[in-house]
Amino acid sequence: MNVIIFGPPGAGKGTQASNIVKKFNLYQISTGDLLRAEVKNKTEIGKDIENIISKGDFATDEIVNELIKKVIFDEKKKNKLIFDGYPRSLSQAENLDLLLKQSNQKINFIFFLNVKKEMIIKRIEKRKILEKRADDNLNTILKRYDTYMMTTKPVLDFYSKKPNFYEIDGSENIVEISSKIEQILTV
Ligand code: AMP
């Protein structure tokens, strides 16, 4: 099965995705991680990406779509994908549909972790102490949230009409959310 975990920055997508990965033997595909790896490995596009991420902007669809293509056509990962942080724009969602069709796959479950802005700010401030991500300062957080509202919200409208769309209250605790997701996945 293939799964999308969707929601604003700080909603807990990464945490939930890694839990499902362990329990259901899937591969977590985080475009954020893929982009950070380009920066770390000092690739040609890494320098541009570093600037974009630290400002709280989005990487271009072109860059992200190229990174995701490699993953979707990886035979080992076929039908074992959890997308965390992708798609983040309508054009990415359309690209994902296309790549899945071309590789004979589909999305089985879409989870939307719904969390209010105030709670996200609190959570990311806390994560700053624990993880030290370059993009975890208040200005960047607010910018990331606004970018999300503008670019990613239309993707939510697109997916929320699908029959395999599930909205989960992301303000609950981690264990509670995991158990709700697992219940749906095991039906
Ligand atoms: P994340 O780890 O998912 O919070 O992503 C961190 C940052 O990477 C984001 O704030 C964006 O700058 C960039 N990024 C991650 N995924 C995408 C995507 N699908 N499209 C564009 N930019 C992305």
Side-chain angles (χ1 to χ4, degrees), residues 33-51:
D33 286 349
L34 293 174
L35 290 165
R36 281 186 287 272
E38 296 288 321
V39 175
K40 196 166 160 232
N41 298 333
K42 297 195 167 29
T43 65
E44 215 168 297
I45 48 169
K47 201 101 207 114
D48 291 340
I49 296 173
E50 191 170 18
N51 274 328

